């Protein structure tokens, strides 16, 4: 690429004094940008709910994958804001522990429903149980997901199905089951799907997830156009890297990849579950009632950082820019 070619010319024309022999520019960038948030950081994470107390009073929120990670954080925030939450996943013991903890903190009941989103009959039974407990939901967050890193040439048919069944089929089964019942009851609701920034671009080594998440986005944009007339909104959040135990244990088992991620994020840090929870609550609230069919990239600038052809020039020092500027000014003709 042009940027890389120019960088090589600078390297040949003058020795690089800035970096030690043992430190590559990439690792240097990671160190420079990974300072912990605080007084010296430009973009510290803010904890706590941004919406007014009672925003979701008398509303029911249904969150798949609500027992851990981002799902737990979103449940915590919605419950704190007054929602009666129903969380679902396959692991009933994990759900119950989370529900008890959040209920004791917020004072609002969190219900649990065991559900394997890959099974449409199980989804139907789950929604039956939710209707008995709380009635149909006002907020539906499709957060249940699965992923792992793997070279595509090593993928088996079962490996492909294990991801696409949870992410794409699971989201479709939940959305269609709840949506049909809402339409029949002449009630509207807001639907939110949690995808990823590489749903837009694709990504090697996570092909099943990329394909499935892209399908979820197409589904939600389609339904935003079709089901708005029934009072339903559909929106999408594309998170960048956010540290959660479950995801990082499968996507970054050695811990080394986290340094690379921070190095390419312009805001210099990973996201936090609380930040996603605040964004999800806003999109799902009446404050965002005119938002539908939207895809919100929420990644600290990582996507645009990786996309720009010349963004690697961030490594060039002021002295090296002087050399490059002289070279550019000295260029004759086209």
């Amino acid at each position: 690429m042009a940027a890389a070619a120019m960088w090589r010319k600078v390297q040949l024309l003058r020795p690089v004094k800035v970096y030690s022999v043992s430190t590559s520019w990439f690792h240097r960038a990671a160190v420079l940008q990974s300072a912990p948030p605080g007084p010296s950081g430009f973009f510290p994470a803010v904890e706590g709910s941004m919406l007014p107390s009672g925003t979701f009073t008398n509303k029911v929120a249904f969150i798949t994958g609500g027992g851990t990670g981002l799902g737990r954080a979103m449940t915590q925030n919605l419950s704190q804001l007054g929602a009666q939450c129903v969380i679902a996943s396959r692991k009933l013991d994990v759900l119950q522990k989370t529900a008890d903890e959040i209920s004791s903190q917020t004072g609002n009941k969190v219900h649990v429903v065991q559900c394997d989103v890959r099974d449409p009959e199980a989804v139907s039974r789950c929604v039956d149980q939710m209707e008995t407990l709380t009635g149909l939901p006002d907020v539906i967050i499709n957060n249940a997901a699965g992923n792992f890193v793997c070279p595509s040439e090593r993928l088996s048919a079962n490996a492909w199905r294990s991801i696409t069944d949870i992410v794409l089929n699971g989201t479709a089964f939940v959305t269609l089951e709840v949506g049909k019942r809402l339409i029949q009851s002449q009630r509207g609701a807001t639907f939110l799907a949690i995808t990823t920034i590489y749903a837009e671009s694709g990504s090697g080594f996570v092909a099943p997830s990329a394909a499935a998440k892209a399908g979820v986005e197409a589904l939600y944009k389609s339904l935003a156009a079709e089901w708005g007339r029934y009072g339903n909104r559909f929106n999408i959040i594309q998170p960048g890297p956010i540290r959660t135990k479950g995801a990082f244990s499968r996507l970054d088992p050695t811990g080394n990849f986290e340094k690379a991620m921070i190095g390419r994020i312009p805001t210099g840090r990973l996201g936090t579950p609380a930040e996603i929870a605040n964004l999800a609550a806003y999109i799902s609230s009446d404050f965002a009632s005119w938002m539908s069919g939207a895809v919100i990239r929420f990644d600290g600038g990582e996507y645009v950082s990786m996309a720009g052809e010349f963004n690697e020039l961030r490594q060039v020092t002021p002295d090296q820019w002087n050399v490059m500027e002289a070279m550019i000014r000295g260029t004759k003709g086209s």
Side-chain angles (χ1 to χ4, degrees):
M1 292 189 295
M6 180 66 77
W7 174 243
R8 286 194 293 272
K9 286 182 181 180
V10 174
Q11 295 285 64
L12 290 172
L13 284 172
R14 78 184 262 127
V16 179
K17 298 185 294 183
V18 179
Y19 307 117
S20 69
V21 174
S22 62
T23 306
S24 69
W25 72 266
F26 184 86
H27 292 113
R28 182 76 168 188
V31 171
L32 288 174
Q33 297 191 51
S34 62
S40 62
F42 288 112
F43 305 102
V46 177
E47 300 294 318
S49 180
M50 72 180 187
L51 292 178
S53 177
T55 295
F56 288 91
T57 298
N58 298 323
K59 292 186 181 259
V60 174
F62 177 51
I63 304 99
T64 66
T68 59
L70 299 183
R72 178 189 175 112
M74 290 185 284
T75 303
Q76 169 79 37
N77 195 28
L78 290 168
S79 180
Q80 190 70 52
L81 292 168
Q84 187 177 185
C85 294
V86 182
I87 56 177
S89 77
R90 287 177 290 172
K91 297 180 179 179
L92 192 58
D93 57 334
V94 173
L95 287 174
Q96 192 62 62
K97 183 174 184 292
T98 295
D100 291 344
E101 290 174 353
I102 293 176
S103 294
S104 67
Q105 293 165 8
T106 67
N108 292 316
K109 178 67 175 177
V110 177
H111 304 274
V112 302
V113 180
Q114 191 171 29
C115 182
D116 183 348
V117 297
R118 301 171 299 179
D119 179 356
E121 293 183 359
V123 169
S124 181
R125 291 192 298 270
C126 168
V127 179
D128 285 342
Q129 189 174 350
M130 176 170 52
E131 279 203 81
T132 300
L133 291 168
T134 64
L136 287 170
D138 305 281
V139 174
I140 301 93
I141 300 179
N142 276 288
N143 169 70
N147 199 8
F148 55 85
V149 289
C150 180
S152 295
E153 66 271 23
R154 296 189 180 195
L155 284 171
S156 65
N158 284 336
W160 178 272
R161 277 195 297 264
S162 70
I163 302 305
T164 56
D165 275 355
I166 296 171
V167 176
L168 179 55
N169 292 339
T171 298
F173 296 152
V174 169
T175 300
L176 294 172
E177 183 68 36
V178 176
K180 290 173 184 177
R181 298 192 193 201
L182 287 166
I183 291 169
Q184 187 174 11
S185 300
Q186 297 186 324
R187 286 189 50 193
T190 177
F191 291 76
L192 177 64
I194 308 299
T195 62
T196 176
I197 58 172
Y198 59 74
E200 188 171 341
S201 63
S203 176
F205 304 99
V206 285
S209 173
K213 294 285 192 181
V216 168
E217 294 193 358
L219 170 67
Y220 266 47
K221 286 183 279 190
S222 299
L223 291 175
E226 185 179 353
W227 281 4
R229 57 186 171 155
Y230 299 125
N232 295 311
R233 296 193 294 119
F234 293 84
N235 293 293
I236 298 152
I237 298 176
Q238 295 178 338
I242 295 175
R243 170 168 280 284
T244 61
K245 180 180 178 182
F248 269 56
S249 64
R250 289 182 291 274
L251 299 177
D252 186 22
T254 66
N256 292 327
F257 194 51
E258 181 175 344
K259 296 178 181 178
M261 287 189 286
I262 293 174
R264 66 176 178 250
I265 297 174
T267 55
R269 64 173 175 85
L270 302 181
T272 69
E275 289 175 301
I276 280 286
N278 266 321
L279 179 58
Y282 167 71
I283 292 172
S284 301
S285 76
D286 292 339
F287 292 100
S289 63
W290 207 49
M291 180 185 291
S292 192
V295 181
I296 309 299
R297 191 185 301 143
F298 195 60
D299 67 346
E302 181 187 28
Y303 186 93
V304 293
S305 175
M306 293 188 293
E309 183 176 0
F310 289 89
N311 286 339
E312 287 188 7
L313 293 178
R314 287 172 299 192
Q315 67 185 280
V316 178
T317 67
D319 285 346
Q320 290 162 350
W321 273 116
N322 292 336
V323 176
M324 290 174 64
E325 184 178 353
M327 293 169 60
I328 293 167
R329 289 180 180 274
T331 301
K332 302 297 182 181
S334 59

